[in-house]
């Protein structure tokens, strides 16, 4: 395949580059990389633009990596320099410690503008990852040097390879005592080959990093030097320069036409601005656009003209700030205001354009819940938005920005069916609405079945690949319970002091299992899963019916009375 196993490729093919690299201090690095605001706000040649996405499994450190790049480049200043995970600006993101929404930022390095897209790592928000792939020319695949490739690593890598992208690979958390770079590199190569990667894609660059400590290197031997310094309580004399250099060298510049081409842009994100209203973000596919230009919005697929307007503001995001631009061109990632009727996957173009741009379809939803008004005895005590019309309007607004959600009219005036990727995605939506003042009731989640197109009588159901890391003494009960839920054990290996179990299991087998898993493993187990495929219906589960207590009226009750009611 044109690639040696382990780290031989790095030592043979890139030895000279690693030897020539000299690290710099954090202070001098920030001074070298910083750029003025005017540099960022100008339209620059496409040859000096790099568009890259950061993809990874949840909690493998991609948001911390972006933080480190922004701080060392001088894109952050003042109080934001002391904050962690500045890209996770949503309240729920900070509370849960996960990325929910994709976010775009940029920095200047060696007279180049590097546009960075930070993406979610959880499988339930995979629609955010699928959308941003149309905005970037390459991706940085971040992998935990201890855990190795996980379920979401496979998902995001599949999408990237399918678009012909050549990833950069960063083994993060390499400074941990449990890191195993050689084994993880072999696992990654096996994953690339299993996903049908080309020879060029399997010849990926490998870098080693500790985003938390703020350094990155191409030389595995340099890692020992850094970790020894940290063990002595000293600051590792490294920086993120090797990663930034790799992005400039390996990520191709945008290929598009600016001169003599009409302006076109595919909308991938929407954001609300308190002064400008709805702003559309995306990558300019062709031509140039200036503030005051006439534009139109074309519906995705059909190309119908939704709205005519003009550009009132043009923004580029740097760090956590928005910088106004007077003019932007093909290859730039920008936000445009002036067309309030725009939606995700729509095309914003010049008046002479009649055909919309192609967009990437997202994977279909796998579970659904029904939202309806709160008709319990305690209704109206917490929220102020209570009616079915308010709930329906809010769900429809959510569907405009979140293409991974589908809102279906259930046939009842008081209820709406919401289809999504997983329990976490729907729970985030429910919690967001609750904090906004909505009161609602929801049904238990249920999976979405479909008919086999080759055999109309056959029923297909969604399957997921679940990866579990548990203590060895808890592996038996986990295997027993997942087997009862129609799970099929595919792999059982030792990773450090844990047992790693990989199952293929129907999605309905995972509903309600998280709490059982937490109890069975005494809170020490880690479970991750991602959509795998639709497969033949696996049959009914063995169930033990549990009793429930239903509140029929409001009032007070004593603990003694409630205990006597329990079965």
């Amino acid at each position: 395949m044109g690639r040696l196993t382990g780290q031989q490729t790095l030592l043979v093919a890139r030895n000279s580059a690693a030897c020539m690299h000299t690290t710099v201090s954090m202070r001098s690095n920030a001074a070298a990389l910083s750029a003025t605001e005017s540099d960022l706000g100008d339209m620059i040649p496409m040859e000096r633009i790099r568009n890259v996405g950061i993809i990874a499994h949840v909690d493998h450190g991609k948001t911390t990596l972006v933080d480190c790049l922004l701080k060392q480049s001088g894109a952050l200043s003042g109080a934001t320099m002391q904050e962690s995970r500045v890209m996770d600006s949503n309240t729920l993101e900070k509370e849960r410690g996960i990325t929910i929404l994709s976010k775009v930022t940029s920095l200047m390095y060696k007279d180049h503008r590097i546009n960075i897209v930070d993406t979610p790592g959880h499988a339930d928000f995979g629609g955010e990852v699928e959308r941003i792939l149309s905005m970037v020319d390459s991706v940085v695949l971040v992998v935990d040097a201890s855990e190795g490739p996980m379920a979401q690593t496979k998902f995001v890598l599949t999408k990237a390879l399918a678009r012909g992208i050549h990833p950069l690979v960063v083994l993060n958390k390499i400074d941990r005592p449990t890191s195993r770079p050689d084994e993880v590199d072999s696992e990654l190569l096996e994953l690339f080959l299993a996903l049908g990667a080309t020879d060029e894609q399997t010849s990926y660059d490998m870098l080693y990093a500790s985003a938390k400590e703020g350094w990155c290197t191409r030389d595995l031997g340099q890692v020992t030097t850094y970790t020894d310094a940290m063990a002595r309580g000293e600051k590792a004399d490294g920086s993120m320069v090797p990663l930034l250099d790799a992005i400039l060298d390996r990520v191709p510049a945008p290929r598009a036409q600016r001169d003599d081409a009409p302006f076109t842009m595919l909308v991938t994100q929407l954001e609300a601005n308190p002064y400008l209203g709805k702003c559309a973000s995306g990558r300019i596919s062709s031509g140039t656009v200036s503030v005051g230009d006439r534009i139109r919005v074309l519906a995705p697929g059909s190309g119908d003209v939704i709205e005519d307007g003009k550009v009132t503001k043009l923004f580029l995001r740097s760090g956590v700030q928005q910088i106004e631009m007077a003019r932007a061109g093909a290859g730039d990632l920008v936000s445009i205001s002036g067309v309030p009727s725009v939606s995700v996957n729509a095309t914003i173009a010049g008046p002479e354009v009649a055909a919309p741009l192609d967009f990437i379809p997202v994977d279909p939803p796998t579970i659904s819940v029904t939202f309806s008004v709160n008709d319990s005895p305690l209704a109206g005590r917490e929220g102020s938005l209570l009616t079915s019309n308010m709930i329906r309007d809010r769900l429809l607004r959510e569907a405009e920005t979140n293409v991974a959600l589908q809102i279906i009219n259930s046939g009842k005036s008081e209820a709406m069916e919401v289809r999504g990727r997983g329990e976490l995605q729907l729970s985030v939506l429910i919690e967001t609405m609750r904090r906004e003042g909505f009161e609602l009731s929801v049904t238990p989640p249920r999976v979405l079945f479909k008919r086999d197109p080759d055999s109309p009588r056959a029923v297909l159901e969604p399957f997921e690949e679940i990866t579990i890391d548990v203590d060895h003494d808890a592996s038996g009960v986990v295997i027993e319970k997942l087997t009862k839920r129609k799970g099929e054990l595919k792999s059982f290996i030792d990773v450090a002091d844990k047992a790693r179990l990989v199952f293929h299991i129907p999605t309905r087998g995972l509903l309600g299992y998280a709490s059982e898993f937490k109890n069975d493993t005494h809170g020490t187990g880690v479970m991750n899963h991602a959509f795998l495929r639709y497969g033949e219906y696996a049959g009914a589960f063995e169930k033990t019916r549990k009793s429930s207590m239903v509140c029929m009226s409001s009032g007070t009750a004593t603990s003694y009375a409630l205990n006597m009611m329990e079965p």
Side-chain angles (χ1 to χ4, degrees):
M1 298 297 293
R3 171 177 167 80
L4 302 176
T5 59
Q7 307 306 319
Q8 296 174 346
T9 301
L10 291 172
L11 297 177
V12 174
R14 302 173 185 85
N15 184 54
S16 58
C19 293
M20 293 174 62
H21 171 66
T22 56
T23 59
V24 297
S25 68
M26 292 279 289
R27 182 175 300 174
S28 62
N29 181 55
L33 304 185
S34 62
T36 65
E37 192 169 299
S38 60
D39 293 331
L40 281 168
D42 293 337
M43 186 176 75
I44 63 177
M46 285 191 295
E47 295 76 20
R48 291 165 49 199
I49 297 177
R50 298 293 186 270
N51 297 322
V52 62
I54 311 294
I55 60 176
H57 183 78
V58 63
D59 201 33
H60 278 199
K62 60 189 174 308
T63 302
T64 305
L65 183 70
V66 175
D67 264 12
C68 190
L69 291 174
L70 294 177
K71 290 176 180 178
Q72 292 194 20
S73 68
L76 298 180
S77 60
T80 54
M81 283 291 292
Q82 308 304 321
E83 296 181 16
S84 61
R85 295 172 44 241
V86 295
M87 295 297 289
D88 287 346
S89 55
N90 185 285
T91 303
L92 282 176
E93 289 179 324
K94 291 184 178 297
E95 291 179 4
R96 294 174 179 253
I98 60 174
T99 302
I100 297 174
L101 303 172
S102 296
K103 301 173 189 68
V104 180
T105 187
S106 66
L107 56 89
M108 294 296 294
Y109 176 65
K110 292 184 177 178
D111 293 327
H112 287 69
R113 179 186 297 147
I114 300 178
N115 295 313
I116 301 173
V117 186
D118 185 24
T119 64
H122 199 283
D124 285 17
F125 308 108
E128 295 285 317
V129 180
E130 293 170 278
R131 283 192 300 175
I132 69 99
L133 290 178
S134 63
M135 302 174 65
V136 300
D137 300 298
S138 186
V139 294
V140 174
L141 177 65
V142 182
V143 181
D144 190 306
S146 299
E147 292 187 353
M150 301 287 283
Q152 185 69 359
T153 309
K154 180 178 180 180
F155 171 80
V156 296
L157 185 59
T158 300
K159 299 298 182 181
L161 296 178
R163 289 188 60 84
I165 290 175
H166 296 182
L168 288 170
V169 176
V170 174
L171 291 192
N172 194 28
K173 307 181 183 181
I174 192 69
D175 55 325
R176 288 186 173 182
T178 56
S179 65
R180 45 190 188 96
D182 290 326
E183 295 177 35
V184 172
D185 185 24
S186 298
E187 293 171 6
L188 270 173
L189 182 58
E190 292 176 4
L191 179 59
F192 271 73
L193 296 175
L195 296 179
T198 64
D199 291 356
E200 293 78 11
Q201 289 172 327
T202 54
S203 300
Y204 50 81
D205 277 13
M206 177 81 76
L207 294 96
Y208 311 94
S210 173
K212 184 178 179 181
E213 298 298 328
W215 52 262
C216 178
T217 179
R218 290 176 177 269
D219 185 5
L220 189 57
Q222 188 70 37
V223 173
T224 304
T225 303
Y226 291 156
T227 53
D228 288 346
M230 293 163 56
R232 296 192 300 268
E234 303 173 1
K235 181 69 177 179
D237 188 23
S239 70
M240 285 293 171
V241 165
L243 177 56
L244 292 171
D245 286 336
I247 291 175
L248 294 189
D249 295 339
R250 300 290 291 180
V251 177
R255 296 184 179 92
Q257 188 176 358
R258 281 185 176 178
D259 299 330
D260 302 324
F263 163 68
T264 58
M265 185 184 89
L266 182 67
V267 178
T268 54
Q269 290 179 313
L270 296 177
E271 53 184 316
N273 187 293
Y275 304 104
L276 302 173
K278 186 185 293 185
C279 295
S281 301
R283 171 174 170 163
I284 300 178
S285 300
S286 64
T288 61
V289 64
S290 302
V291 175
D293 285 355
R294 302 298 302 180
I295 54 175
R296 58 170 45 177
V297 179
L298 303 178
S302 65
D304 296 336
V305 179
I306 299 176
E307 180 185 8
D308 289 303
K310 71 174 183 178
V311 180
T312 56
K313 290 289 184 180
L314 195 59
F315 293 104
L316 173 76
R317 188 174 289 276
S318 173
V320 294
Q321 298 178 338
Q322 282 188 328
I323 297 176
E324 288 193 34
M325 301 180 71
R327 188 166 180 250
D332 285 324
L333 306 188
V334 297
S335 295
I336 293 177
S337 64
V339 278
S341 300
V342 70
S343 61
V344 173
N345 290 334
T347 298
I348 300 179
E352 68 275 24
V353 177
L357 297 172
D358 295 331
F359 62 90
I360 302 176
V362 299
D363 288 341
T366 56
I367 70 171
S368 72
V369 298
T370 299
F371 284 55
S372 59
V373 297
N374 180 12
D375 55 1
S376 75
L378 306 178
R381 296 196 176 187
E382 292 188 3
S384 57
L385 306 174
L386 311 175
T387 67
S388 59
N389 287 336
M390 291 178 175
I391 296 173
R392 179 182 292 104
D393 291 343
R394 175 62 179 84
L395 292 175
L396 293 176
R397 289 199 305 273
E398 182 70 22
E400 289 180 359
T401 58
N402 191 344
V403 294
L405 284 179
Q406 294 181 5
I407 311 299
I408 309 296
N409 196 333
S410 65
K412 299 179 180 179
S413 59
E414 303 87 5
M416 295 286 286
E417 181 184 357
V418 180
R419 297 178 177 181
R421 288 286 186 87
E423 292 177 284
L424 178 60
Q425 183 189 28
L426 296 177
S427 69
V428 166
L429 173 60
I430 294 170
E431 176 62 15
T432 301
M433 293 179 63
R434 187 193 69 81
R435 296 187 181 195
E436 292 174 356
F438 285 89
E439 275 195 15
L440 48 91
S441 63
V442 295
T443 62
R446 55 191 180 277
V447 300
L448 297 173
F449 299 98
K450 66 179 185 180
R451 295 288 181 181
D452 188 345
D454 299 326
S455 178
R457 292 188 177 183
V459 176
L460 302 179
E461 67 173 327
F463 279 74
E464 304 201 18
E465 181 177 89
I466 177 173
T467 303
I468 294 176
D469 290 341
V470 295
D471 295 330
H472 285 81
D473 57 359
S475 60
V477 65
V478 171
I479 294 175
E480 178 185 359
K481 289 198 172 182
L482 289 182
T483 302
K484 289 182 178 179
R485 292 169 175 260
K486 304 298 182 181
E488 181 180 353
L489 182 63
K490 293 294 184 180
S491 173
F492 188 141
I493 60 175
D494 291 333
V495 177
D497 59 342
K498 299 279 187 179
R500 173 166 294 177
L501 315 176
V502 178
F503 279 85
H504 291 178
I505 186 171
T507 300
R508 58 194 173 97
L510 294 178
L511 300 180
Y513 177 65
S515 58
E516 289 187 36
F517 175 76
K518 189 179 297 183
N519 292 333
D520 293 339
T521 61
H522 306 290
T524 61
V526 178
M527 177 174 65
N528 296 285
H529 55 90
F531 174 74
L532 180 65
R533 56 178 169 82
Y534 264 86
E536 186 177 350
Y537 179 68
F541 296 160
E542 298 179 11
K543 286 188 176 181
T544 302
R545 183 173 178 82
K546 297 182 179 179
S547 302
S548 301
M549 292 188 294
V550 180
C551 174
M552 302 301 295
S553 62
S554 60
T556 59
T558 64
S559 300
Y560 176 79
L562 293 175
N563 288 334
M564 295 298 291
M565 293 176 63
E566 289 184 347

